[in-house]
Amino acid sequence: MIILITGASHTGKTLLAQRMLERYRYPYLSVDHLKMGLIRSGNTSLTPEDDEALTDYLWPIVREMIKTAIENRQNLIVEGCYIPFDWRKDFDEQYLQSIRFVCLAMSDSFIDAHFDEIRNHTSDIESRLYDMDNTVDSLKADNYHFIKEFTQSGEVVTLIDDDYEKAIIDLLG
């Protein structure tokens, strides 16, 4: 089984992946770690700010890793925001049967009510510097974008609107 986790920034993708690793004992691949490895090694001239170009660059690699894991009957959690909205077109039905897709997004009202908490949990799993450009409005715009694009692609988006912990526990199964 492949569990593919994506969503807007700061929605808890890495936290969910970590909890799934602990529950199911599936290894997980952070697409952000792959991104930074390629950038730091000089294997790309892209920067962490090149989101759209990074999706185009990283997805073919990640896609083929997913196919290889499925072909080898291996379990894997793949987590990151660099998953294209139309990702399903890249897999035949035989692959899709082995992929569980999860997209996390937060409602505007949740962001308004919990912005300080969101900011305070930025480094719960991975140490990262708080981005001063990360504002209530930028979080809302990012979440809206993920909700709109994945919904238009026919995907179910897990909308965190009230109880964050319950939403994560429900996804753990």
Side-chain angles (χ1 to χ4, degrees), residues 25-43:
R25 303 288 185 220
Y26 293 179
Y28 88 83
L29 167 70
S30 166
V31 181
D32 281 342
H33 289 174
L34 178 61
K35 168 191 78 176
M36 291 310 297
L38 290 164
I39 289 170
R40 288 179 169 181
S41 67
N43 283 300

Side-chain angles (χ1 to χ4, degrees), residues 93-136:
E93 187 57 35
Q94 69 182 25
Y95 292 108
L96 289 172
Q97 292 175 11
S98 298
I99 300 172
R100 176 181 171 202
F101 176 78
V102 176
C103 178
L104 297 175
M106 296 175 178
S107 69
D108 286 355
S109 60
F110 185 86
I111 294 168
D112 285 335
H114 300 279
F115 181 71
D116 288 337
E117 290 172 64
I118 295 166
R119 186 179 63 211
N120 290 337
H121 288 284
T122 295
S123 295
D124 280 358
I125 303 297
E126 295 178 326
S127 296
R128 60 177 168 171
L129 298 175
Y130 177 67
D131 180 2
M132 295 310 287
D133 294 333
N134 188 15
T135 64
V136 168

